[in-house]
Amino acid sequence: MKTAQLSPLTPLSFLKRSVEVFPDKTAVIYGDKRATYAQLGERVGRLAAALVRAGVNPGDRVAFVCPNTPAMLEAHFGVMLAGAVLVSINIRLAPREIAYILNHSGSKIVVVDSEFSRIIEEIQGEIPSVQCVVTVVDAGFPKTLEGPEYEDFLTGTGAEPVVPLPIDDDIEDELGVICINYTSGTTGQPKGVLYQHRAAYLNATSEIVTAGLTSDSVYLWTLPMFHCNGWCFPWAVTAVGGTHLCIRKIDPAEVYDLIEREGVSHFCAAPTVLIALSSHPSAQGRKFPLRPGGGPVRILTAAAPPSPHIIRTIQEMGAEITHVYGLTEVYGPFTVCEWRTEWNSQEAPVRARLKARQGVAMLGCGELRVVDEQMNEVRRDGETLGEVLMRGHSVMAGYFNDPEATAKAFAGGWFHTGDVAVWHPDGYIELRDRKKDIIISGGENISTVEVERAIYEHPDVLEVAVIGIPDPKWGEVPKAFVVPRPGANPTAEDIVKFCRERLAAFKCPKAVEFGELPKTSTGKIQKFVLRQREWQGREKLIN
């Protein structure tokens, strides 16, 4: 029996639909500039045509080194429309790190924001695959690189969009890959994570449901688009015909102003961003306004386990916060702490602790397990530790040109996250640590996240990171690195005493250091930097 041919699942269909349904609706806001969906569709078509004219072939890689500007949003559709693969690069990486990514991916064209031209200037003699550099001139930063300027690059092509190439959304070939996202490389060189049309489509629809996006949504780009393709929100917001509010960098005062002035309804942020927002002078006595359609501003938070304290603080400011969890290898969020109405009767501290859990698999993402080293599921008792495994449509196709790492990551047919968690009786998971961050002190396992959560409750603490440091008797013991709140001056004795009132003695930090914390551009605290410093001169970072 002959059946109708099915259309492939691709994010390209999201833009096509919104151009048809919402042609005159504002799609993008950037400073005093605005573009409708019809205009966005035209610019995406011009970008695709320009890439083809520049010699980009199916499967070629096109890299973007840009902050959250309209060009970065256009890249999420124009590159794939040309049949190419988007490589979105972290703008805060060192030049040599960017050179490695460009060379490993074999990127043919680089589109770079003029603020970051110096990075490409420094490595131009080291990136032989790059045939053309296009500069996005913006924010008063001059063009210093040879090659076309982005607007001229687009203007030199016809307005008619190129005809999309056939897409096979089931087969892992060059026509199925949509992006390559590089991991942070904390344990070696970064790995290129392969994203596909079908999975990007499905993950974006999961985000729509989880965040509650509609055509009335105004999404503020506080999350970097280069990070897991902005958790697939470039596609999710476009799918519903919402408005993208682009900003180059996060300034708390500007964020609050934009939320009120532009009627922001949604944004995503790492816990460190929420801490910066809530502790800024602009936050004093402030409440988030209700969004224009009614209801509170909705915030999704992830990137590191948030403390119940910051969740409670943001909720008290009037926002609705949802905790999600995932990795680069699963397109960003994979789980959500799905809220249950029966929890509303709990006291505020209890509600915050419940909301700080990583939760259950998001609708449509796949399956979730917590297992021991033999891949047997651990007891759902909220105490037994195990590794989080995932499988489903929203899991990467593999690592680019790295079959060995791919095979290791998918041992036993499931993706191994390397995250340690407990499984609660209600089916919700709660992270305890990365495998490498668990402290084994005198044979006892200590969760650094548990210790951090206790310290976060201290009224003088703004941020904290806990790691294991060498100890001649116990092998390793906890050390806390604390950032005090502005104007506060806690002592190490204060912190330790506070912990002893809340934790078993062996879990309490044996040392406390005050100062700034090293972070990634997405707000994750780089514990490995602290660990390398504390364990310097030793052959391994454990005893």
Side-chain angles (χ1 to χ4, degrees), residues 3 40 55 86 89 198 237 249 304 338-339 356 444 460:
T3 59
L40 175 61
L86 174 63
I89 298 179
R198 180 185 182 87
V237 175
K249 61 182 180 179
E338 193 80 38
W339 192 249
E444 296 283 355
D460 292 340

Side-chain angles (χ1 to χ4, degrees), residues 292-314:
V297 173
R298 300 190 66 173
I299 304 171
L300 266 61
T301 188
S307 70
H309 176 78
I310 188 59
I311 287 178
R312 189 164 69 246
T313 300
I314 294 297

Side-chain angles (χ1 to χ4, degrees), residues 300-355:
L300 266 61
T301 188
S307 70
H309 176 78
I310 188 59
I311 287 178
R312 189 164 69 246
T313 300
I314 294 297
Q315 289 186 150
E316 288 171 352
M317 293 176 67
E320 179 181 341
I321 189 166
T322 299
H323 179 204
V324 294
Y325 152 68
L327 306 92
T328 302
E329 287 87 345
V330 294
Y331 293 68
F334 190 93
T335 76
V336 59
C337 190
E338 193 80 38
W339 192 249
R340 298 184 179 181
T341 54
E342 60 265 30
W343 294 341
N344 289 330
S345 60
Q346 300 286 346
E347 295 293 324
V350 176
R351 292 199 306 270
R353 284 198 300 271
L354 288 169
K355 188 159 280 194

Side-chain angles (χ1 to χ4, degrees), residues 247-258:
I247 54 174
R248 290 185 65 87
K249 61 182 180 179
I250 297 175
D251 174 74
E254 181 188 13
V255 168
Y256 287 124
D257 177 62
L258 288 171

Side-chain angles (χ1 to χ4, degrees), residues 425-446:
D426 59 8
Y428 283 51
I429 69 167
E430 183 176 4
L431 289 193
R432 286 289 188 260
D433 249 316
R434 292 290 294 173
K435 271 187 173 180
K436 61 181 179 292
D437 289 338
I438 285 285
I439 300 170
I440 303 176
S441 185
E444 296 283 355
N445 285 356
I446 301 173

Side-chain angles (χ1 to χ4, degrees), residues 9 163 202 261 325 366 390 525 532:
L9 299 181
V163 177
L202 292 171
R261 179 157 44 91
Y325 152 68
M390 301 169 174
I525 296 170
Q532 286 174 344

